[in-house]
């Protein structure tokens, strides 16, 4: 658990002029550190960002207002997103009871819960004895988890249900010891029975109980269903028939400070800069919700609010972990570092790789861009699948990704300014035809 206050890294001098890369010092035309910081903190202040919830909706309205002030015509696209408001969610065995996190789309257990012997399932889906009528305690491998749709996460759970389990509780083993929320299919439940997630720091007594096949009870109660959520697009249609699109998601399971905040701040910076800087193009600034339901909002956006593929010159997607704080994991506790978490990736159409290497030189992670023909992820997949090319996107998984403690302490304002500056220069270079 981090005990660092905001003042540790957002105090005096934290946002002094900086070097965006080794060859170029920021000028007065570069992103404003004060504006970036204000947007980061405004995003964090909206709280929980689950699609269609109060925080997500308020955040969307704020962003729509900012686009309108910058001269864009804003359109909202409404669709239905799942939700579940938990009233009680716990796993009990003997004297041990701990809160667990229901895995969406949630299958409630009812007030009495489900009972059965607790049986450990390893990361490969193996278990001892019979699984019939059991509650599977799935011991996932260690990792920076993000999605239940990954085979490594869902595979052992599916194996447990196939063998007769009545419920499953997965241990999300990761760097923080906290429960890691996992993205889900947004259209239907993924499993045949109730599934919940448990923090590795809470799992010890239940792993011990599973060795003895002790009787356990899982209770998941709450209210759920579908609720409206909205994407938005700000268009500056100059009638040129040459579009540049820039997109970002805003939603997530918790507060999403490091996961989403820097992307939103960089996207806003580009939105304000682009009308004057890219006069020879029509502009579409797209903000999606429903990201946590395996890019549900992005898929919807492609059907309705995205510019036509054949008329789009370039698409930049600004995804997760644009510039999150990194940490020293010290025996006495975690200590913040001045650098960004390097587990971030810039994926770009292969013909633009030399340009990206030049622009992002010195930015950890981004300085080694990868070809989108080799690796893409997140909502960039939706962009490429729809046929947009050339295209680029950034994505990553910082240490507190999908963890409730991904709060203001995980912000890295300096890195966010540098990333925003890189995005500006990439867009400007593409607009000027800087391709082989």
């Amino acid at each position: 658990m981090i005990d660092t206050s905001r003042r540790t890294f957002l105090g005096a001098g934290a946002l002094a002029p900086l070097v965006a890369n080794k060859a170029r010092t920021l000028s007065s035309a570069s992103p404003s550190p004060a504006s970036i910081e204000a947007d980061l903190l405004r995003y964090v202040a909206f709280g929980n960002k689950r699609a269609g919830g109060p925080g997500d909706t308020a955040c969307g309205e704020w962003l729509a207002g900012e686009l309108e002030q910058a001269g864009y015509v804003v359109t909202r696209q409404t669709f239905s997103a799942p939700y579940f408001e938990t009233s009680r969610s716990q796993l009990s065995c003997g004297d041990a009871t701990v809160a667990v996190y229901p895995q969406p789309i949630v299958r409630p257990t009812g007030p009495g819960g489900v009972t059965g012997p607790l049986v450990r399932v390893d990361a490969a889906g193996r278990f001892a004895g019979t699984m019939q009528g059991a509650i599977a305690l799935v011991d996932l491998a260690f990792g920076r988890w993000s999605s239940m749709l990954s085979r490594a996460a869902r595979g052992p759970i599916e194996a447990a249900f196939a063998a007769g389990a009545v419920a499953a509780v997965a241990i999300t083993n990761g760097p923080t010891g906290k429960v890691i929320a996992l993205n889900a299919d947004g259209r239907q439940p993924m499993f045949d029975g109730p599934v919940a997630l448990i923090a590795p720091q809470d799992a010890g007594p239940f792993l011990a109980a599973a060795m003895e096949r002790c009787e356990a009870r899982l209770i998941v109660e709450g209210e759920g269903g579908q609720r409206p959520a909205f994407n938005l697009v700000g268009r500056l249609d100059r009638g040129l028939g040459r579009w540049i699109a820039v997109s970002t998601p805003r939603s997530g399971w918790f507060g999403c400070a490091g996961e989403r905040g820097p992307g939103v701040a960089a996207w806003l910076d580009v939105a304000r800069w682009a009308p004057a800087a890219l006069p020879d193009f029509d502009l579409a600034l797209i903000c999606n919700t429903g990201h946590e339901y395996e890019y549900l909002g992005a898929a919807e956006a492609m059907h309705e609010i995205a510019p036509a593929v054949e008329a789009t010159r370039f698409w930049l997607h600004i995804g997760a972990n644009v510039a999150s704080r990194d940490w020293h994991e010290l025996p006495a506790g975690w200590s913040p570092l001045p650098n960004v978490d390097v587990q971030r990736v810039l994926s770009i159409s292969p013909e633009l790789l030399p340009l990206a290497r030049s622009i992002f030189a010195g930015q950890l992670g981004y300085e080694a861009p990868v070809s989108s023909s080799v690796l893409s992820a997140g909502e960039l997949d939706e962009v490429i699948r729809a046929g947009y090319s050339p295209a680029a996107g950034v994505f990553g998984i910082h240490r507190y990704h999908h963890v409730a403690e991904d709060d203001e302490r995980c912000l890295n304002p300096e890195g966010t300014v540098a990333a925003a500056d890189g995005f500006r220069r990439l867009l400007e270079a593409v607009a000027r035809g800087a391709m082989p």
Side-chain angles (χ1 to χ4, degrees):
M1 178 63 185
I2 309 167
D3 57 4
T4 307
S5 71
R6 171 176 178 265
R7 190 172 291 106
T8 303
F9 56 89
L10 289 182
L15 292 175
L18 51 101
V19 176
N21 63 46
K22 296 177 182 178
R24 181 175 179 271
T25 303
L26 294 182
S27 70
S28 58
S30 298
S32 161
S35 179
I36 292 286
E37 179 183 23
D39 289 337
L40 286 169
L41 297 179
R42 182 72 180 273
Y43 176 82
V44 172
F46 288 111
N48 187 287
K49 308 297 193 313
R50 291 178 193 165
D56 172 55
T57 299
C59 181
E61 294 295 349
W62 165 57
L63 296 174
E66 293 297 312
L67 290 182
E68 288 171 343
Q69 288 185 25
Y72 295 86
V73 175
V74 174
T75 302
R76 293 165 178 78
Q77 176 195 23
T78 301
F79 62 96
S80 292
Y83 81 97
F84 188 81
E85 299 295 341
T86 304
S87 59
R88 184 167 58 149
S89 183
Q90 64 185 44
L91 177 66
S92 302
C93 188
D95 294 331
T97 298
V98 69
V100 294
Y101 186 85
Q103 174 62 36
I105 292 174
V106 178
R107 289 189 182 273
T109 62
V114 294
T115 61
L118 202 59
V119 177
R120 178 183 178 270
V121 179
D122 74 6
R126 297 169 296 200
F127 54 89
T130 179
M131 186 59 69
Q132 194 65 42
I135 296 176
L137 184 63
V138 180
D139 199 5
L140 295 177
F142 184 92
R144 296 192 182 192
W145 293 99
S146 183
S147 177
M148 185 60 85
L149 276 81
S150 83
R151 173 53 61 182
R154 77 176 192 268
I157 299 174
E158 289 174 339
F161 280 114
V166 295
V169 178
I171 307 170
T172 56
N173 295 301
T176 66
K178 308 292 184 180
V179 69
I180 303 173
L182 301 179
N183 287 354
D185 186 323
R187 294 168 176 83
Q188 61 186 0
M190 294 180 62
F191 303 105
D192 294 334
V195 176
L197 311 175
I198 185 173
Q201 66 185 22
D202 296 329
F206 301 97
L207 285 167
M211 295 178 67
E212 306 294 331
R213 298 180 65 90
C214 294
E215 191 79 2
R217 183 184 303 272
L218 174 66
I219 299 175
V220 177
E221 290 185 279
E223 180 182 344
Q226 297 281 322
R227 64 187 175 190
F230 68 89
N231 298 328
L232 63 94
V233 58
R235 293 188 183 90
L236 190 56
D237 188 346
R238 295 172 164 129
L240 301 171
R242 297 188 302 273
W243 289 86
I244 287 179
V246 185
S247 58
T248 197
R250 69 177 187 270
S251 68
W253 296 119
F254 300 114
C256 309
E259 178 190 0
R260 297 265 82 93
V264 167
W267 178 84
L268 269 181
D269 175 76
V270 168
R272 295 165 181 147
W273 162 87
L278 306 175
D280 298 326
F281 290 86
D282 305 311
L283 303 173
L285 275 291
I286 300 168
C287 181
N288 300 318
T289 187
H291 174 91
E292 64 274 29
Y293 289 104
E294 206 60 16
Y295 328 131
L296 183 63
E300 294 292 330
M302 293 302 166
H303 299 317
E304 187 175 328
I305 64 174
V309 172
E310 63 275 11
T312 302
R313 166 67 170 168
F314 185 65
W315 190 306
L316 171 64
H317 180 70
I318 304 176
N321 193 29
V322 164
S324 304
R325 177 85 31 197
D326 203 1
W327 304 88
H328 259 151
E329 297 181 22
L330 303 175
W334 286 24
S335 177
L337 290 167
N339 57 277
V340 299
D341 191 308
V342 300
Q343 296 304 317
R344 58 179 188 166
V345 177
L346 167 58
S347 174
I348 194 164
S349 296
E351 67 269 25
L352 293 176
L353 280 168
L355 176 64
R357 291 190 190 104
S358 173
I359 287 174
F360 288 92
Q363 293 204 43
L364 296 176
Y366 293 161
E367 64 190 350
V370 300
S371 168
S372 58
S373 65
V374 175
L375 174 66
S376 69
E379 295 184 14
L380 179 60
D381 283 343
E382 298 289 340
V383 172
I384 293 172
R385 190 177 299 119
Y388 293 92
S389 181
V394 295
F395 49 86
I397 301 177
H398 76 110
R399 290 174 191 256
Y400 278 84
H401 184 81
H402 287 197
V403 170
E405 288 78 8
D406 181 10
D407 56 25
E408 193 176 315
R409 297 165 294 183
C410 296
L411 298 176
N412 189 310
E414 303 95 320
T416 306
V417 172
D421 185 67
F423 299 147
R424 284 187 182 193
R425 292 196 291 131
L426 176 62
L427 289 166
E428 191 171 40
V430 170
R432 291 177 177 176
M435 291 189 290

